[in-house]
């Protein structure tokens, strides 16, 4: 499986999603490639946000190997599934899709936990304490992704 995690800046939510899912897949010996990107280039080249690095570390996960990048159109063919964090990411990624097959790959990640409810992973960037909540939501979602595709 090749899975791409998407948020706006690729510094808060999707780096956590990438790190959590890659770690779970590795622990199970699955040959999965997990990557992440942002719909924006606001933070291109930067490390994940310090608050994401810290919450990951509190759960024994190192995400400091990651650097922010913007999604590119080749991602839409290179990955099997593209998980987005919220409905705004969803609209932005759909606009880049050229075929029905590409659109079919784009999914809201929390629909893996609560199908069809279209729950967003809230953007924690402007707050102070949303990061543990984001971690818990993504940890649950990644468990479901593993169950579904392993
Ligand atoms: P992310 O959070 O999409 O989870 O990485 C954000 C990061 C940066 C900005 C917004 C959201 N920003 O506006 O710079």
């Amino acid at each position: 499986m090749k899975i791409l995690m998407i948020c706006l800046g690729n510094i808060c939510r999707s780096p956590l999603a990438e790190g959590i899912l890659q770690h779970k897949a590795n622990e199970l010996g699955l040959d999965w490639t997990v990557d992440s990107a942002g719909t924006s280039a606001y933070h291109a080249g930067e490390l994940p946000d310090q608050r994401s690095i810290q919450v990951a570390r509190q759960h024994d996960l190192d995400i400091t190997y990651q650097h922010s990048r913007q999604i590119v159109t080749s991602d839409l063919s290179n990955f099997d599934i593209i998980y987005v964090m919220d409905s705004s990411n969803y609209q932005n990624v759909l606009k880049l899709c050229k075929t029905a097959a590409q659109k079919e790959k784009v999914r809201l990640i929390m629909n893996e936990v609560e199908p069809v409810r279209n729950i967003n992973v809230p953007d924690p960037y402007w707050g102070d304490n949303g990061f543990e909540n984001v971690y818990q939501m993504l940890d649950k979602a990644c468990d479901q992704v593993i169950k579904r595709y392993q």
Side-chain angles (χ1 to χ4, degrees):
M1 286 302 276
K2 293 184 76 176
I3 295 180
L4 184 66
M5 302 293 193
I6 296 287
C7 62
L8 173 60
N10 190 212
I11 54 167
C12 296
R13 292 166 292 176
S14 60
L16 281 172
E18 175 187 338
I20 291 167
L21 186 61
Q22 186 71 74
H23 182 71
K24 288 182 190 292
N26 291 350
E27 278 197 321
L28 290 166
L30 301 171
D31 184 22
W32 285 17
T33 299
V34 186
D35 194 6
S36 64
T39 57
S40 78
Y42 300 156
H43 296 273
E46 293 178 18
L47 284 173
D49 188 284
Q50 277 306 321
R51 298 164 294 177
S52 283
I53 291 175
Q54 190 181 353
V55 82
R57 200 170 274 147
Q58 284 161 0
H59 294 276
D60 294 323
L61 190 66
D62 177 19
I63 59 168
T64 59
Y65 63 91
Q66 299 183 32
H67 291 89
S68 174
R69 71 171 179 91
Q70 187 173 25
I71 188 172
V72 290
T73 50
S74 57
D75 288 328
L76 301 164
S77 36
N78 289 344
F79 287 89
D80 301 310
I81 308 175
I82 298 169
Y83 283 117
V84 296
M85 300 297 126
D86 64 32
S87 54
S88 161
N89 306 152
Y90 187 80
Q91 295 305 330
N92 287 324
V93 176
L94 271 206
K95 281 183 211 152
L96 302 175
C97 292
K98 293 197 177 65
T99 65
Q102 290 180 350
K103 286 184 185 169
E104 163 65 19
K105 295 179 180 183
V106 187
R107 304 182 200 163
L108 271 174
I109 193 166
M110 290 312 293
N111 279 351
E112 293 291 351
V113 180
E114 300 195 64
V116 202
R117 285 194 60 201
N118 296 340
I119 291 170
N120 293 326
V121 179
D123 180 351
Y125 185 67
W126 301 105
D128 271 334
N129 48 21
F131 286 76
E132 176 62 24
N133 177 51
V134 165
Y135 184 95
Q136 293 299 336
M137 291 179 81
L138 292 174
D139 189 54
K140 279 202 189 85
C142 290
D143 279 340
Q144 292 306 119
V145 173
I146 294 274
K147 261 192 204 156
R148 185 162 169 190
Y149 295 105
Q150 74 174 334

